[in-house]
Amino acid sequence: MDFGFSDDQIALRDSVRKFAEAELLPNYQRWDQQDGWLPKEFIDKIVSMGLLTLRLPEEYGGQGASFVDCGIVCEEIGRADHNIRYIISNAIHLGEMAPSMHPELRAEWIPRIAAGEQMSLAFTEPRGGADAGNIVTKAVKDGGDWLISGEKTSITFCGVSKVVFVSARTGGAGPRGLSFFLVPTDLPGVSKSEFKRMGQRIDRAGSFFFDEVRIPARNMIGEENTGFIWAMTIIGYNRNFVPLACIGAAQKSLEETIEYAKERQIMGKSMSKWQAVSTELAVAATKLDAARMLCYRALSLKDQGLRHDTESSMAKWWGVMVANEVLYTCMRLHGHYGWATSLPFEQRYRDCLGMESADGPREIHHGIIARDLLGRQHAPF
Ligand SMILES: Cc1cc2nc3c(=O)[nH]c(=O)nc-3n(C[C@H](O)[C@H](O)[C@H](O)COP(=O)(O)OP(=O)(O)OC[C@H]3O[C@@H](n4cnc5c(N)ncnc54)[C@H](O)[C@@H]3O)c2cc1C
C-alpha cells in the first residue's frame, strides 16, 4: 500500500496551492458579498492554469489527468474558495462526456466550456433529487429531433450557464428509461428562475423549465436509455471531489485556528496551552486526515478501473460531515471573531453545509453502504 502522492502529484498540489492562495483566497469573501457573476479576467486566470481541461483527454486538447490528480486540485482549490471547485469539477466531467459526444457537439461546446463558459448539470426535480432514477422530465422523439419537457431545480450556475446537461425520460419507468442531453440554454422553450441559498452565493442557483424544447438527436450523450449509468458514473467519482473541497476548507481553517490558538491569551496563558483546546485541534486533525484518506482511496480505485461505489459513499457522507464539524469547531474557537463576516469561517461553514445534500444526502450513502454489507435482498434499495 502506498499512502503518498507521486513527485508529479506533489508538484501539482504545490502549484495549485500557490495559485489558489494568490488569486482565489483574497477574493473568496468578496464574491459572497456581491450579486452578479465572476469577472471574465478572474475566470481567465482559472482557464490559464488549465483547471478546466484537467480530465479532458489529450486528443481533445486536455491534460488527461487522473482522478487522484483531480481530487488534489479540488482539495487545494477548496482551501481557498470552495465555490470555484464547483466550476472545476463540472468541467472535469467533460473527460467522461467528450468521447461519447457527437463530433459536431464536441467541436462546438468543448472549446467554449474550456474557455470558461458555464455548464450546469440538471438531475434534481421539484419532487425530489435523492431518487435520481425516478425523474419525470421527458424527451419525446419528433422526426430526427427530441422534444424535452419538464422542470429541474436546485441547479448550480443556472443563472449563468450557456448549456445544461439534462437527464430526461426516453423509455419506461425507473432508472433504465433515462437519457442525457446537452441543451443550450438560449433555445426557444428554455426558461429559468434563480433563487438565493444560504451558502455558495456566487453560484446563481435556480430552476430550469423546459417546454417542448427541440433538440437534434446529436445532442444526446451516450446511448438512448443509458442515462442512469452516465449519472452514476459522474456522481460516483464526484462524491469524492465534494468532500475533498470541504476538507480543503476545513484544513485551511484548522491551520488558521492553530496559529490563533498560539497567539490568543486566555486567563494569562496562550489558548493552545488549555488542554480542552489542544485536544479539539488534535481531534480535528485526525478526523480530516481519515476523511481525506477515504476520498483518495476511492479515487485511486476509480483510476485503477475498480469498483468504488461503497468507498465513494463512505467518503462522501463521512468527509462532508467531518469537514463541517471541523469548520464549526474552528469558528467556535475564534470566539466572536469567528462569527464575524470579516473572517472567512462563517462563509466556509455556510458554503460547505450545502454539500450534505449535494450529490446525495447521507441517508442515500448509508443505503449504498448497507446494500454492500447486507446483500441487495436485505438492503433498503
Ligand atoms: C449546494 C447544492 C448544490 C446543488 N447543485 C445541484 C446541481 O447542480 N444539479 C442538480 O441536479 N442538483 C443539485 N443539487 C440538488 C441535490 O442533488 C439534491 O439536494 C439531492 O439530490 C437531494 O435531493 P432533495 O434535496 O430533493 O431531497 P429529497 O430527495 O427530497 O430528500 C429529502 C431528505 O429525505 C431524506 N432521504 C432521502 N432519501 C432517503 C432514503 N433513501 N432513506 C432515508 N432518508 C432519505 C434525506 O434526509 C434528504 O435530505 C444541489 C444541492 C445543493 C444543496
Side-chain angles (χ1 to χ4, degrees), residues 82 86 90 120-132 152-157 165 197 199-200 203 205 351 353-364 367 380-381:
H82 174 268
Y86 233 108
N90 273 8
S120 287
L121 269 63
F123 307 109
T124 306
E125 299 190 346
R127 63 196 285 277
D131 193 4
K152 300 286 181 180
T153 194
S154 195
I155 309 303
T156 301
F157 306 134
F165 183 61
R197 301 197 279 202
Q200 290 196 187
D203 75 6
D351 285 346
L353 217 46
M355 296 301 104
E356 276 275 358
S357 282
D359 285 60
R362 64 175 73 179
E363 292 86 348
I364 286 289
F381 52 84

Side-chain angles (χ1 to χ4, degrees), residues 111-346:
R112 290 178 64 173
I113 298 166
E117 290 190 24
Q118 292 312 301
M119 170 178 68
S120 287
L121 269 63
F123 307 109
T124 306
E125 299 190 346
R127 63 196 285 277
D131 193 4
N134 280 311
I135 54 152
V136 295
T137 294
K138 61 177 182 189
V140 178
K141 256 190 189 135
D142 187 53
D145 297 336
W146 291 89
L147 295 177
I148 301 184
S149 299
E151 180 182 341
K152 300 286 181 180
T153 194
S154 195
I155 309 303
T156 301
F157 306 134
C158 174
V160 289
S161 63
K162 302 281 192 238
V163 69
V164 53
F165 183 61
V166 183
S167 61
R169 186 159 302 287
T170 46
R176 290 175 198 278
L178 305 186
S179 303
F180 266 101
F181 297 87
L182 208 58
V183 180
T185 55
D186 60 358
L187 286 184
V190 180
S191 56
K192 45 174 109 168
S193 86
E194 292 183 47
F195 46 76
K196 293 271 181 221
R197 301 197 279 202
M198 172 180 167
Q200 290 196 187
R201 287 192 183 149
I202 66 154
D203 75 6
R204 305 283 300 272
S207 300
F208 277 109
F209 307 93
F210 304 99
D211 183 9
E212 298 207 326
V213 179
R214 184 171 291 277
I215 282 289
R218 67 167 182 270
N219 283 45
M220 182 183 278
I221 310 235
E223 301 292 315
E224 193 173 327
N225 295 330
T226 61
F228 195 68
I229 300 169
W230 262 96
M232 287 305 113
T233 303
I234 287 177
I235 292 173
Y237 61 76
N238 205 52
R239 283 174 173 163
N240 299 287
F241 299 154
V242 169
L244 277 170
C246 299
I247 290 165
Q251 181 67 38
K252 179 75 180 163
S253 298
L254 179 60
E255 289 166 17
E256 291 164 352
T257 307
I258 289 167
E259 290 313 307
Y260 184 71
K262 288 182 198 165
E263 297 300 321
R264 183 78 169 166
Q265 295 295 306
I266 307 286
M267 296 183 189
K269 56 182 174 180
S270 77
M271 203 174 139
S272 60
K273 292 199 171 148
W274 293 93
Q275 200 176 358
V277 172
S278 61
T279 300
E280 291 220 58
L281 298 175
V283 168
T286 309
K287 283 180 175 173
L288 288 182
D289 229 18
R292 183 183 288 112
M293 284 187 199
L294 283 179
C295 298
Y296 286 115
R297 175 183 67 167
L299 290 172
S300 163
L301 290 171
K302 173 74 181 163
D303 276 328
Q304 295 170 65
L306 299 172
R307 248 189 96 160
H308 58 95
D309 51 349
T310 302
E311 292 80 1
S312 294
S313 280
M314 289 176 173
K316 165 63 175 54
W317 86 266
W318 175 259
V320 170
M321 181 191 74
V322 155
N324 281 321
E325 285 173 5
V326 172
L327 285 167
Y328 177 69
T329 300
C330 293
M331 193 166 61
R332 198 166 41 75
L333 290 180
H334 273 81
H336 70 95
Y337 293 118
W339 182 242
T341 55
S342 50
L343 290 179
F345 300 105
E346 60 83 32

Side-chain angles (χ1 to χ4, degrees), residues 27-39 196 201-204:
N27 292 300
Y28 175 55
Q29 292 166 274
R30 186 171 143 212
W31 307 140
D32 185 63
Q33 286 156 14
Q34 68 161 32
D35 281 328
W37 181 233
L38 302 167
K196 293 271 181 221
R201 287 192 183 149
I202 66 154
D203 75 6
R204 305 283 300 272

